[in-house]
């Protein structure tokens, strides 16, 4: 019940025990094509270039940034938590000229603030996180998308923590590239990074296409400045997922099975219904921790559905309480990073864990641990408040 | 039965259906530590820094190269197949000054040739492939290791195709860094890249340690030139696998289970016995294809145990024959790249496919396909010759 990685959906686990097939076996390439269509539904996009990057979530981020950014390009990053700092870090290593604006942890940006910065900086790209798990905040993106379009700025978003559990509209919000991971609301393991790329971003990337020696063919003329990473060279990776089937790498077969199954489950449930499920169980958890008498951190109106940050009660050893939850009740919750480390717990309700029994068991166990730690609590107040949400 | 990826060992598939645990759950970190020890046995090393890079085989290659190479460093790459070209490609993107020597496909280097080049170039690093699946050749490394030590050159090797099926001695041969993948002799899926790093290479990497913003702490002073990739920053990744447990990324849990199980099986069998098993089944397949009357490509004395390249008989449509094998018999074999595309088939005997029944069924099916293609063959000659190897 932490902020992710989470326990996987049992159906995803089962998919991962399937035997492997060859890289260019027609059934494998058919799975790849099917997976592309499934993630178009998940990202809410018509982007042809929607596929997987083989690695953890930050592999998707780095692939997007290193393929789009050329050294010296200006990049604007609005920071409202740890993962904004990560975007800065990666953009700097791509040798971008990085400009930042920052909000205190626990808040999000107003569109006007972003618009002023875009006008002042005139970046090639704006890169932001959608939901930053470090603070639980979810940045509204529709206005930022409009600002980026109006100012001809490429708009990248890291949707790892939010996708599948919160409304996300890649096309309607005017995003150019979004990336994610399986280990949050998608209910799978870390290790595969879904990505979707708009036609105009595809053009920027393909203007730098340099097919590697060893698999280069006659028609492959080198274009533009070579992308600094071979592994994350989206121009070649798109040709691996496309009709050409360029042999850039050997697709991580089992992780493809996992990513495909995560999206199949989400599409079968319906994206809107999955978001509503996360909203509902998130609301129950929020009411529950408040019902126990705990204080919630941050601007709750902008909280992601799937995670809540709770102030650790004064005088309680937060890590000892987490250890008791894990060792005595088999339930894991998280702390946070930087200024929030040791100050908040983060409790998730995402993917397969966005279930009534998971919420109620967590609240029941947390009550016991708080009581054992001599924290003044309302007995039964957590489960009771959550039950009221479920009954309404 | 292609050159990899291969069908996985059923025990590896089962391991991948295990439920996930949290990133810093004591059972997860214990698995990580256990996996490090297992891969020390597989690589034959005492290197503390032996762990997994989250991605396909070339993720391991790029992590090693980008973490060791600074822009302008001289790198020498002996090329004897496609994957030598890949090393050049990656080193160039790391902005190295790359020097190459080349052998015709199907041959390996004599140590004298390498030594002359090392003396002429004075590289910081020599990067080579051990077994290049594109040609099936296996480059002897012990002399090159001695040459590198004598000339104070860092020695990197890509052992993806060879590890577990051919003798590999990281420490005894004087290697500094080796990387691999699971989808060859280790009998698992693509998507995790074991790596091992010598203490002197660790020092080179840690001299460039720059912990990222967002998780940086007081003691983290920036060192040297920042590694160009965040994802492949081995200085931080070592701190994730080490006592500090720096939260660089969320380890790909299921792929860790897979990598751990692959190594457990290999260690339980005994590395020497696993190599001998690959030698035996590779010898049976080699005898078998010759027994059918086919011609083997390349310098067979330097062939990897686990794959054989067979000249496609004149007049036969090699791709149609491969399709018939796949569609009628459910057996996949490969063709190759560049100058060998359409000229040879590559037949593997690796991992779980290094089994008598897999070898004999493949030879029996191949005989039928060749006969249907009007290729003059010795009826029963393939299976018969393989059986003789097994009987000896």
């Amino acid at each position: 019940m932490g902020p992710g990685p989470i326990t996987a959906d049992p159906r995803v686990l089962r998919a991962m025990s399937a035997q492997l097939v060859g890289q260019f076996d027609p059934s494998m390439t058919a799975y790849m094509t099917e997976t592309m269509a499934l993630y178009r539904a998940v990202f809410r996009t018509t982007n042809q270039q929607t596929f997987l990057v083989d690695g953890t979530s930050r592999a998707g981020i780095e692939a997007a940034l290193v393929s789009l950014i050329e050294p010296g390009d200006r990049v604007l990053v609005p920071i409202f938590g740890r993962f904004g700092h990560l975007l800065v870090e990666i953009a700097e290593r791509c040798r971008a000229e990085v400009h930042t604006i920052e909000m205190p942890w626990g808040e999000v940006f107003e569109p006007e603030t972003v618009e002023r910065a875009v006008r002042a900086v005139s970046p090639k790209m704006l890169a932001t996180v959608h939901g930053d798990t470090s603070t639980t905040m979810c940045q509204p993106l529709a206005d930022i998308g409009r600002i980026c379009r109006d100012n001809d700025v490429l708009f990248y978003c890291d949707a790892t923590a939010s996708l599948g559990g919160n409304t996300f509209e890649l096309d309607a919000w005017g995003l150019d590239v979004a990336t994610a991971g399986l280990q949050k609301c998608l209910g799978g393991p870390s290790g595969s990074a879904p990505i979707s790329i708009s036609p105009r971003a595809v053009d920027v990337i393909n203007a730098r296409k340099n097919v590697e020696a060893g698999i280069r063919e006659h028609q492959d003329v080198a274009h533009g400045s070579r992308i600094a990473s071979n592994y994350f060279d989206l121009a070649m990776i798109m040709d691996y997922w496309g009709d050409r089937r360029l042999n850039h790498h050997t697709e991580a077969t089992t992780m493809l099975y996992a990513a495909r199954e995560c999206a199949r489950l989400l599409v079968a449930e319906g994206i809107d219904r999955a978001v509503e499920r996360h909203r509902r169980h998130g609301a129950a958890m929020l009411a529950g921790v408040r019902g126990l008498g705990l204080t919630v951190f941050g601007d709750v109106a902008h909280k992601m559905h799937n995670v809540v940050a709770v102030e650790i009660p004064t005088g309680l050893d937060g890590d000892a309480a987490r250890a008791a939850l894990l060792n005595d009740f088999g339930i894991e919750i998280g702390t946070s990073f930087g200024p929030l480390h040791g100050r908040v717990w983060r409790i998730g309700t995402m993917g397969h864990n966005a279930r009534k029994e998971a919420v109620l068991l967590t609240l029941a166990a947390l009550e016991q641990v708080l009581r054992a730690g001599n924290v003044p609590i309302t007995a039964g107040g957590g489960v009771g408040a959550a039950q009221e949400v479920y009954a309404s």
Side-chain angles (χ1 to χ4, degrees), chain A residues 183-194:
Chain A
Q183 75 278 15
K184 307 278 183 178
C185 302
L186 270 57
S190 170
S192 181

Side-chain angles (χ1 to χ4, degrees), chain A residues 2-26:
Chain A
I6 42 69
T7 44
D9 191 300
R11 294 166 290 186
V12 176
L13 298 177
R14 205 158 56 215
M16 289 191 290
S17 68
Q19 185 50 279
L20 311 180
V21 291
Q23 182 175 13
F24 296 112
D25 186 307

